[in-house]
PDB file of all heavy atoms in Angstrom:
ATOM      1  N   VAL A   1       0.836  -1.203   0.000  1.00 98.00           N
ATOM      2  CA  VAL A   1       0.000   0.000   0.000  1.00 98.00           C
ATOM      3  C   VAL A   1       0.872   1.254   0.000  1.00 98.00           C
ATOM      4  O   VAL A   1       1.803   1.374   0.792  1.00 98.00           O
ATOM      5  CB  VAL A   1      -0.932   0.036   1.235  1.00 98.00           C
ATOM      6  CG1 VAL A   1      -1.786   1.298   1.239  1.00 98.00           C
ATOM      7  CG2 VAL A   1      -1.807  -1.212   1.293  1.00 98.00           C
ATOM      8  N   LEU A   2       0.525   2.158  -0.891  1.00 98.00           N
ATOM      9  CA  LEU A   2       1.121   3.488  -0.879  1.00 98.00           C
ATOM     10  C   LEU A   2       0.133   4.403  -0.178  1.00 98.00           C
ATOM     11  O   LEU A   2      -0.995   4.583  -0.640  1.00 98.00           O
ATOM     12  CB  LEU A   2       1.373   3.996  -2.302  1.00 98.00           C
ATOM     13  CG  LEU A   2       1.903   5.420  -2.361  1.00 98.00           C
ATOM     14  CD1 LEU A   2       3.337   5.481  -1.850  1.00 98.00           C
ATOM     15  CD2 LEU A   2       1.816   5.970  -3.769  1.00 98.00           C
ATOM     16  N   ILE A   3       0.530   4.956   0.964  1.00 98.00           N
ATOM     17  CA  ILE A   3      -0.287   5.954   1.647  1.00 98.00           C
ATOM     18  C   ILE A   3       0.176   7.304   1.102  1.00 98.00           C
ATOM     19  O   ILE A   3       1.337   7.669   1.240  1.00 98.00           O
ATOM     20  CB  ILE A   3      -0.107   5.905   3.175  1.00 98.00           C
ATOM     21  CG1 ILE A   3      -0.412   4.506   3.709  1.00 98.00           C
ATOM     22  CG2 ILE A   3      -0.997   6.954   3.842  1.00 98.00           C
ATOM     23  CD1 ILE A   3      -0.036   4.317   5.178  1.00 98.00           C
ATOM     24  N   ASP A   4      -0.739   8.006   0.466  1.00 98.00           N
ATOM     25  CA  ASP A   4      -0.422   9.266  -0.208  1.00 98.00           C
ATOM     26  C   ASP A   4      -1.145  10.414   0.479  1.00 98.00           C
ATOM     27  O   ASP A   4      -2.372  10.529   0.390  1.00 98.00           O
ATOM     28  CB  ASP A   4      -0.843   9.169  -1.679  1.00 98.00           C
ATOM     29  CG  ASP A   4      -0.586  10.451  -2.446  1.00 98.00           C
ATOM     30  OD1 ASP A   4       0.440  11.100  -2.182  1.00 98.00           O
ATOM     31  OD2 ASP A   4      -1.413  10.790  -3.324  1.00 98.00           O
ATOM     32  N   PHE A   5      -0.394  11.265   1.184  1.00 98.00           N
ATOM     33  CA  PHE A   5      -0.955  12.456   1.809  1.00 98.00           C
ATOM     34  C   PHE A   5      -0.870  13.601   0.804  1.00 98.00           C
ATOM     35  O   PHE A   5       0.211  13.886   0.276  1.00 98.00           O
ATOM     36  CB  PHE A   5      -0.168  12.821   3.074  1.00 98.00           C
ATOM     37  CG  PHE A   5      -0.431  11.910   4.230  1.00 98.00           C
ATOM     38  CD1 PHE A   5       0.327  10.761   4.417  1.00 98.00           C
ATOM     39  CD2 PHE A   5      -1.430  12.197   5.152  1.00 98.00           C
ATOM     40  CE1 PHE A   5       0.091   9.916   5.488  1.00 98.00           C
ATOM     41  CE2 PHE A   5      -1.679  11.356   6.228  1.00 98.00           C
ATOM     42  CZ  PHE A   5      -0.911  10.209   6.391  1.00 98.00           C
ATOM     43  N   TRP A   6      -1.995  14.256   0.549  1.00 98.00           N
ATOM     44  CA  TRP A   6      -2.073  15.311  -0.457  1.00 98.00           C
ATOM     45  C   TRP A   6      -3.269  16.202  -0.146  1.00 98.00           C
ATOM     46  O   TRP A   6      -3.992  15.969   0.825  1.00 98.00           O
ATOM     47  CB  TRP A   6      -2.221  14.685  -1.850  1.00 98.00           C
ATOM     48  CG  TRP A   6      -3.595  14.100  -2.092  1.00 98.00           C
ATOM     49  CD1 TRP A   6      -4.129  12.977  -1.515  1.00 98.00           C
ATOM     50  CD2 TRP A   6      -4.610  14.638  -2.924  1.00 98.00           C
ATOM     51  NE1 TRP A   6      -5.408  12.784  -1.951  1.00 98.00           N
ATOM     52  CE2 TRP A   6      -5.736  13.791  -2.825  1.00 98.00           C
ATOM     53  CE3 TRP A   6      -4.684  15.747  -3.757  1.00 98.00           C
ATOM     54  CZ2 TRP A   6      -6.915  14.024  -3.524  1.00 98.00           C
ATOM     55  CZ3 TRP A   6      -5.857  15.971  -4.453  1.00 98.00           C
ATOM     56  CH2 TRP A   6      -6.957  15.113  -4.333  1.00 98.00           C
ATOM     57  N   ALA A   7      -3.499  17.212  -0.983  1.00 98.00           N
ATOM     58  CA  ALA A   7      -4.690  18.070  -0.867  1.00 98.00           C
ATOM     59  C   ALA A   7      -4.964  18.743  -2.204  1.00 98.00           C
ATOM     60  O   ALA A   7      -4.050  18.956  -3.004  1.00 98.00           O
ATOM     61  CB  ALA A   7      -4.498  19.130   0.211  1.00 98.00           C
ATOM     62  N   SER A   8      -6.213  19.090  -2.423  1.00 98.00           N
ATOM     63  CA  SER A   8      -6.609  19.729  -3.686  1.00 98.00           C
ATOM     64  C   SER A   8      -5.947  21.093  -3.867  1.00 98.00           C
ATOM     65  O   SER A   8      -5.679  21.512  -4.983  1.00 98.00           O
ATOM     66  CB  SER A   8      -8.134  19.880  -3.751  1.00 98.00           C
ATOM     67  OG  SER A   8      -8.581  20.793  -2.759  1.00 98.00           O
ATOM     68  N   TRP A   9      -5.660  21.800  -2.779  1.00 98.00           N
ATOM     69  CA  TRP A   9      -5.093  23.145  -2.826  1.00 98.00           C
ATOM     70  C   TRP A   9      -3.567  23.141  -2.924  1.00 98.00           C
ATOM     71  O   TRP A   9      -2.942  24.197  -3.038  1.00 98.00           O
ATOM     72  CB  TRP A   9      -5.509  23.937  -1.588  1.00 98.00           C
ATOM     73  CG  TRP A   9      -5.344  23.186  -0.298  1.00 98.00           C
ATOM     74  CD1 TRP A   9      -6.315  22.517   0.393  1.00 98.00           C
ATOM     75  CD2 TRP A   9      -4.135  22.995   0.434  1.00 98.00           C
ATOM     76  NE1 TRP A   9      -5.788  21.928   1.514  1.00 98.00           N
ATOM     77  CE2 TRP A   9      -4.444  22.198   1.569  1.00 98.00           C
ATOM     78  CE3 TRP A   9      -2.817  23.404   0.263  1.00 98.00           C
ATOM     79  CZ2 TRP A   9      -3.497  21.810   2.502  1.00 98.00           C
ATOM     80  CZ3 TRP A   9      -1.870  23.014   1.198  1.00 98.00           C
ATOM     81  CH2 TRP A   9      -2.211  22.234   2.300  1.00 98.00           C
ATOM     82  N   CYS A  10      -2.953  21.970  -2.898  1.00 98.00           N
ATOM     83  CA  CYS A  10      -1.491  21.837  -2.873  1.00 98.00           C
ATOM     84  C   CYS A  10      -0.950  21.691  -4.292  1.00 98.00           C
ATOM     85  O   CYS A  10      -1.115  20.637  -4.918  1.00 98.00           O
ATOM     86  CB  CYS A  10      -1.118  20.624  -2.017  1.00 98.00           C
ATOM     87  SG  CYS A  10       0.601  20.132  -2.108  1.00 98.00           S
ATOM     88  N   GLY A  11      -0.302  22.749  -4.802  1.00 98.00           N
ATOM     89  CA  GLY A  11       0.260  22.719  -6.150  1.00 98.00           C
ATOM     90  C   GLY A  11       1.237  21.574  -6.378  1.00 98.00           C
ATOM     91  O   GLY A  11       1.112  20.835  -7.356  1.00 98.00           O
ATOM     92  N   PRO A  12       2.233  21.373  -5.483  1.00 98.00           N
ATOM     93  CA  PRO A  12       3.155  20.254  -5.683  1.00 98.00           C
ATOM     94  C   PRO A  12       2.450  18.887  -5.681  1.00 98.00           C
ATOM     95  O   PRO A  12       2.841  17.989  -6.416  1.00 98.00           O
ATOM     96  CB  PRO A  12       4.129  20.377  -4.504  1.00 98.00           C
ATOM     97  CG  PRO A  12       4.104  21.832  -4.155  1.00 98.00           C
ATOM     98  CD  PRO A  12       2.682  22.260  -4.402  1.00 98.00           C
ATOM     99  N   CYS A  13       1.398  18.751  -4.871  1.00 98.00           N
ATOM    100  CA  CYS A  13       0.633  17.498  -4.848  1.00 98.00           C
ATOM    101  C   CYS A  13      -0.032  17.257  -6.196  1.00 98.00           C
ATOM    102  O   CYS A  13       0.017  16.151  -6.740  1.00 98.00           O
ATOM    103  CB  CYS A  13      -0.451  17.543  -3.775  1.00 98.00           C
ATOM    104  SG  CYS A  13       0.139  17.780  -2.104  1.00 98.00           S
ATOM    105  N   ARG A  14      -0.650  18.294  -6.711  1.00 98.00           N
ATOM    106  CA  ARG A  14      -1.378  18.177  -7.972  1.00 98.00           C
ATOM    107  C   ARG A  14      -0.414  17.869  -9.119  1.00 98.00           C
ATOM    108  O   ARG A  14      -0.746  17.122 -10.035  1.00 98.00           O
ATOM    109  CB  ARG A  14      -2.188  19.434  -8.254  1.00 98.00           C
ATOM    110  CG  ARG A  14      -3.213  19.798  -7.166  1.00 98.00           C
ATOM    111  CD  ARG A  14      -4.336  18.788  -7.003  1.00 98.00           C
ATOM    112  NE  ARG A  14      -5.192  18.696  -8.157  1.00 98.00           N
ATOM    113  CZ  ARG A  14      -6.229  19.479  -8.421  1.00 98.00           C
ATOM    114  NH1 ARG A  14      -6.548  20.454  -7.590  1.00 98.00           N
ATOM    115  NH2 ARG A  14      -6.945  19.291  -9.498  1.00 98.00           N
ATOM    116  N   ARG A  15       0.800  18.441  -9.055  1.00 98.00           N
ATOM    117  CA  ARG A  15       1.806  18.151 -10.085  1.00 98.00           C
ATOM    118  C   ARG A  15       2.350  16.731  -9.947  1.00 98.00           C
ATOM    119  O   ARG A  15       2.776  16.129 -10.924  1.00 98.00           O
ATOM    120  CB  ARG A  15       2.934  19.167 -10.026  1.00 98.00           C
ATOM    121  CG  ARG A  15       2.511  20.547 -10.544  1.00 98.00           C
ATOM    122  CD  ARG A  15       3.672  21.503 -10.692  1.00 98.00           C
ATOM    123  NE  ARG A  15       4.331  21.847  -9.438  1.00 98.00           N
ATOM    124  CZ  ARG A  15       3.916  22.804  -8.609  1.00 98.00           C
ATOM    125  NH1 ARG A  15       2.835  23.523  -8.891  1.00 98.00           N
ATOM    126  NH2 ARG A  15       4.587  23.061  -7.504  1.00 98.00           N
ATOM    127  N   GLU A  16       2.352  16.184  -8.733  1.00 98.00           N
ATOM    128  CA  GLU A  16       2.824  14.812  -8.504  1.00 98.00           C
ATOM    129  C   GLU A  16       1.750  13.780  -8.828  1.00 98.00           C
ATOM    130  O   GLU A  16       2.061  12.618  -9.123  1.00 98.00           O
ATOM    131  CB  GLU A  16       3.276  14.652  -7.046  1.00 98.00           C
ATOM    132  CG  GLU A  16       3.845  13.290  -6.690  1.00 98.00           C
ATOM    133  CD  GLU A  16       5.137  12.924  -7.410  1.00 98.00           C
ATOM    134  OE1 GLU A  16       5.795  13.804  -7.998  1.00 98.00           O
ATOM    135  OE2 GLU A  16       5.492  11.731  -7.396  1.00 98.00           O
ATOM    136  N   ASN A  17       0.477  14.173  -8.814  1.00 98.00           N
ATOM    137  CA  ASN A  17      -0.606  13.212  -9.058  1.00 98.00           C
ATOM    138  C   ASN A  17      -0.464  12.419 -10.349  1.00 98.00           C
ATOM    139  O   ASN A  17      -0.751  11.217 -10.349  1.00 98.00           O
ATOM    140  CB  ASN A  17      -1.971  13.895  -8.959  1.00 98.00           C
ATOM    141  CG  ASN A  17      -2.434  14.025  -7.525  1.00 98.00           C
ATOM    142  OD1 ASN A  17      -1.898  13.367  -6.621  1.00 98.00           O
ATOM    143  ND2 ASN A  17      -3.416  14.868  -7.299  1.00 98.00           N
ATOM    144  N   PRO A  18      -0.022  12.998 -11.471  1.00 98.00           N
ATOM    145  CA  PRO A  18       0.163  12.169 -12.668  1.00 98.00           C
ATOM    146  C   PRO A  18       1.167  11.025 -12.453  1.00 98.00           C
ATOM    147  O   PRO A  18       0.990   9.927 -13.003  1.00 98.00           O
ATOM    148  CB  PRO A  18       0.669  13.156 -13.724  1.00 98.00           C
ATOM    149  CG  PRO A  18       0.124  14.475 -13.283  1.00 98.00           C
ATOM    150  CD  PRO A  18       0.161  14.429 -11.771  1.00 98.00           C
ATOM    151  N   ASN A  19       2.191  11.246 -11.630  1.00 97.00           N
ATOM    152  CA  ASN A  19       3.149  10.179 -11.323  1.00 97.00           C
ATOM    153  C   ASN A  19       2.514   9.095 -10.455  1.00 97.00           C
ATOM    154  O   ASN A  19       2.803   7.911 -10.623  1.00 97.00           O
ATOM    155  CB  ASN A  19       4.391  10.747 -10.637  1.00 97.00           C
ATOM    156  CG  ASN A  19       5.171  11.644 -11.560  1.00 97.00           C
ATOM    157  OD1 ASN A  19       5.302  11.369 -12.754  1.00 97.00           O
ATOM    158  ND2 ASN A  19       5.676  12.738 -11.031  1.00 97.00           N
ATOM    159  N   ILE A  20       1.657   9.512  -9.533  1.00 97.00           N
ATOM    160  CA  ILE A  20       0.945   8.546  -8.696  1.00 97.00           C
ATOM    161  C   ILE A  20       0.021   7.705  -9.579  1.00 97.00           C
ATOM    162  O   ILE A  20      -0.054   6.485  -9.428  1.00 97.00           O
ATOM    163  CB  ILE A  20       0.140   9.265  -7.586  1.00 97.00           C
ATOM    164  CG1 ILE A  20       1.041  10.136  -6.710  1.00 97.00           C
ATOM    165  CG2 ILE A  20      -0.655   8.275  -6.754  1.00 97.00           C
ATOM    166  CD1 ILE A  20       1.982   9.419  -5.802  1.00 97.00           C
ATOM    167  N   VAL A  21      -0.666   8.348 -10.508  1.00 97.00           N
ATOM    168  CA  VAL A  21      -1.554   7.633 -11.433  1.00 97.00           C
ATOM    169  C   VAL A  21      -0.756   6.632 -12.268  1.00 97.00           C
ATOM    170  O   VAL A  21      -1.162   5.475 -12.431  1.00 97.00           O
ATOM    171  CB  VAL A  21      -2.335   8.614 -12.335  1.00 97.00           C
ATOM    172  CG1 VAL A  21      -3.077   7.881 -13.438  1.00 97.00           C
ATOM    173  CG2 VAL A  21      -3.306   9.448 -11.503  1.00 97.00           C
ATOM    174  N   LYS A  22       0.404   7.048 -12.775  1.00 97.00           N
ATOM    175  CA  LYS A  22       1.254   6.135 -13.563  1.00 97.00           C
ATOM    176  C   LYS A  22       1.688   4.936 -12.738  1.00 97.00           C
ATOM    177  O   LYS A  22       1.683   3.801 -13.214  1.00 97.00           O
ATOM    178  CB  LYS A  22       2.492   6.870 -14.090  1.00 97.00           C
ATOM    179  CG  LYS A  22       2.227   7.783 -15.241  1.00 97.00           C
ATOM    180  CD  LYS A  22       3.521   8.484 -15.667  1.00 97.00           C
ATOM    181  CE  LYS A  22       3.229   9.636 -16.585  1.00 97.00           C
ATOM    182  NZ  LYS A  22       4.444  10.411 -16.901  1.00 97.00           N
ATOM    183  N   ALA A  23       2.089   5.183 -11.495  1.00 95.00           N
ATOM    184  CA  ALA A  23       2.503   4.088 -10.617  1.00 95.00           C
ATOM    185  C   ALA A  23       1.340   3.133 -10.373  1.00 95.00           C
ATOM    186  O   ALA A  23       1.520   1.909 -10.390  1.00 95.00           O
ATOM    187  CB  ALA A  23       3.029   4.641  -9.292  1.00 95.00           C
ATOM    188  N   TYR A  24       0.152   3.682 -10.163  1.00 97.00           N
ATOM    189  CA  TYR A  24      -1.012   2.823  -9.932  1.00 97.00           C
ATOM    190  C   TYR A  24      -1.307   1.974 -11.165  1.00 97.00           C
ATOM    191  O   TYR A  24      -1.544   0.767 -11.057  1.00 97.00           O
ATOM    192  CB  TYR A  24      -2.231   3.658  -9.551  1.00 97.00           C
ATOM    193  CG  TYR A  24      -3.410   2.799  -9.168  1.00 97.00           C
ATOM    194  CD1 TYR A  24      -3.410   2.111  -7.964  1.00 97.00           C
ATOM    195  CD2 TYR A  24      -4.504   2.664 -10.012  1.00 97.00           C
ATOM    196  CE1 TYR A  24      -4.483   1.313  -7.604  1.00 97.00           C
ATOM    197  CE2 TYR A  24      -5.581   1.865  -9.651  1.00 97.00           C
ATOM    198  CZ  TYR A  24      -5.570   1.192  -8.449  1.00 97.00           C
ATOM    199  OH  TYR A  24      -6.615   0.391  -8.096  1.00 97.00           O
ATOM    200  N   LYS A  25      -1.276   2.595 -12.333  1.00 96.00           N
ATOM    201  CA  LYS A  25      -1.521   1.848 -13.574  1.00 96.00           C
ATOM    202  C   LYS A  25      -0.496   0.736 -13.750  1.00 96.00           C
ATOM    203  O   LYS A  25      -0.840  -0.368 -14.163  1.00 96.00           O
ATOM    204  CB  LYS A  25      -1.480   2.782 -14.785  1.00 96.00           C
ATOM    205  CG  LYS A  25      -2.696   3.647 -14.941  1.00 96.00           C
ATOM    206  CD  LYS A  25      -2.573   4.544 -16.164  1.00 96.00           C
ATOM    207  CE  LYS A  25      -3.786   5.450 -16.308  1.00 96.00           C
ATOM    208  NZ  LYS A  25      -3.637   6.374 -17.440  1.00 96.00           N
ATOM    209  N   LYS A  26       0.745   1.032 -13.446  1.00 94.00           N
ATOM    210  CA  LYS A  26       1.822   0.066 -13.656  1.00 94.00           C
ATOM    211  C   LYS A  26       1.784  -1.084 -12.655  1.00 94.00           C
ATOM    212  O   LYS A  26       2.018  -2.235 -13.022  1.00 94.00           O
ATOM    213  CB  LYS A  26       3.174   0.776 -13.574  1.00 94.00           C
ATOM    214  CG  LYS A  26       4.341  -0.124 -13.880  1.00 94.00           C
ATOM    215  CD  LYS A  26       5.628   0.659 -14.005  1.00 94.00           C
ATOM    216  CE  LYS A  26       6.772  -0.245 -14.421  1.00 94.00           C
ATOM    217  NZ  LYS A  26       8.002   0.510 -14.629  1.00 94.00           N
ATOM    218  N   TYR A  27       1.505  -0.794 -11.383  1.00 94.00           N
ATOM    219  CA  TYR A  27       1.645  -1.809 -10.344  1.00 94.00           C
ATOM    220  C   TYR A  27       0.345  -2.391  -9.805  1.00 94.00           C
ATOM    221  O   TYR A  27       0.371  -3.403  -9.112  1.00 94.00           O
ATOM    222  CB  TYR A  27       2.481  -1.254  -9.186  1.00 94.00           C
ATOM    223  CG  TYR A  27       3.866  -0.870  -9.640  1.00 94.00           C
ATOM    224  CD1 TYR A  27       4.255   0.461  -9.701  1.00 94.00           C
ATOM    225  CD2 TYR A  27       4.771  -1.843 -10.045  1.00 94.00           C
ATOM    226  CE1 TYR A  27       5.517   0.813 -10.142  1.00 94.00           C
ATOM    227  CE2 TYR A  27       6.031  -1.498 -10.483  1.00 94.00           C
ATOM    228  CZ  TYR A  27       6.404  -0.170 -10.530  1.00 94.00           C
ATOM    229  OH  TYR A  27       7.653   0.176 -10.970  1.00 94.00           O
ATOM    230  N   SER A  28      -0.798  -1.815 -10.116  1.00 92.00           N
ATOM    231  CA  SER A  28      -2.050  -2.317  -9.539  1.00 92.00           C
ATOM    232  C   SER A  28      -2.386  -3.721 -10.023  1.00 92.00           C
ATOM    233  O   SER A  28      -3.075  -4.463  -9.337  1.00 92.00           O
ATOM    234  CB  SER A  28      -3.208  -1.370  -9.836  1.00 92.00           C
ATOM    235  OG  SER A  28      -3.469  -1.317 -11.220  1.00 92.00           O
ATOM    236  N   LYS A  29      -1.879  -4.104 -11.164  1.00 89.00           N
ATOM    237  CA  LYS A  29      -2.136  -5.445 -11.690  1.00 89.00           C
ATOM    238  C   LYS A  29      -0.890  -6.339 -11.625  1.00 89.00           C
ATOM    239  O   LYS A  29      -0.897  -7.456 -12.118  1.00 89.00           O
ATOM    240  CB  LYS A  29      -2.611  -5.344 -13.134  1.00 89.00           C
ATOM    241  CG  LYS A  29      -3.841  -4.467 -13.305  1.00 89.00           C
ATOM    242  CD  LYS A  29      -5.007  -5.245 -13.785  1.00 89.00           C
ATOM    243  CE  LYS A  29      -6.168  -4.390 -14.166  1.00 89.00           C
ATOM    244  NZ  LYS A  29      -6.958  -3.862 -13.123  1.00 89.00           N
ATOM    245  N   ALA A  30       0.184  -5.847 -11.001  1.00 90.00           N
ATOM    246  CA  ALA A  30       1.421  -6.618 -10.887  1.00 90.00           C
ATOM    247  C   ALA A  30       1.195  -7.848 -10.015  1.00 90.00           C
ATOM    248  O   ALA A  30       0.356  -7.841  -9.109  1.00 90.00           O
ATOM    249  CB  ALA A  30       2.534  -5.749 -10.312  1.00 90.00           C
ATOM    250  N   LYS A  31       1.947  -8.890 -10.291  1.00 87.00           N
ATOM    251  CA  LYS A  31       1.879 -10.124  -9.505  1.00 87.00           C
ATOM    252  C   LYS A  31       2.997 -10.110  -8.474  1.00 87.00           C
ATOM    253  O   LYS A  31       4.147  -9.892  -8.809  1.00 87.00           O
ATOM    254  CB  LYS A  31       2.036 -11.344 -10.413  1.00 87.00           C
ATOM    255  CG  LYS A  31       0.997 -11.450 -11.498  1.00 87.00           C
ATOM    256  CD  LYS A  31      -0.371 -11.708 -10.933  1.00 87.00           C
ATOM    257  CE  LYS A  31      -1.383 -11.849 -12.064  1.00 87.00           C
ATOM    258  NZ  LYS A  31      -2.727 -11.738 -11.639  1.00 87.00           N
ATOM    259  N   PHE A  32       2.638 -10.342  -7.248  1.00 89.00           N
ATOM    260  CA  PHE A  32       3.594 -10.374  -6.149  1.00 89.00           C
ATOM    261  C   PHE A  32       3.520 -11.738  -5.476  1.00 89.00           C
ATOM    262  O   PHE A  32       2.433 -12.288  -5.306  1.00 89.00           O
ATOM    263  CB  PHE A  32       3.255  -9.301  -5.108  1.00 89.00           C
ATOM    264  CG  PHE A  32       3.297  -7.895  -5.638  1.00 89.00           C
ATOM    265  CD1 PHE A  32       2.169  -7.320  -6.212  1.00 89.00           C
ATOM    266  CD2 PHE A  32       4.446  -7.149  -5.550  1.00 89.00           C
ATOM    267  CE1 PHE A  32       2.192  -6.026  -6.689  1.00 89.00           C
ATOM    268  CE2 PHE A  32       4.484  -5.841  -6.020  1.00 89.00           C
ATOM    269  CZ  PHE A  32       3.361  -5.285  -6.596  1.00 89.00           C
TER     270      PHE A  32
END
């Protein structure tokens, strides 16, 4: 689990969200 602390008003958070989305797409179906 990735616990991601963020907020809608946080510019750096919003800029990082595309990377979080990419990580989720890449690893959510990974086999462990």
Side-chain angles (χ1 to χ4, degrees):
V1 179
L2 176 71
I3 304 170
D4 178 37
F5 286 89
W6 73 290
S8 66
W9 47 262
C10 170
C13 300
R14 302 295 295 275
R15 288 189 296 276
E16 183 64 15
N17 278 344
N19 294 321
I20 302 290
V21 171
K22 285 179 194 174
Y24 186 72
K25 285 180 182 177
K26 184 171 184 176
Y27 299 110
S28 65
K29 304 244 189 283
K31 301 293 182 196
F32 299 88

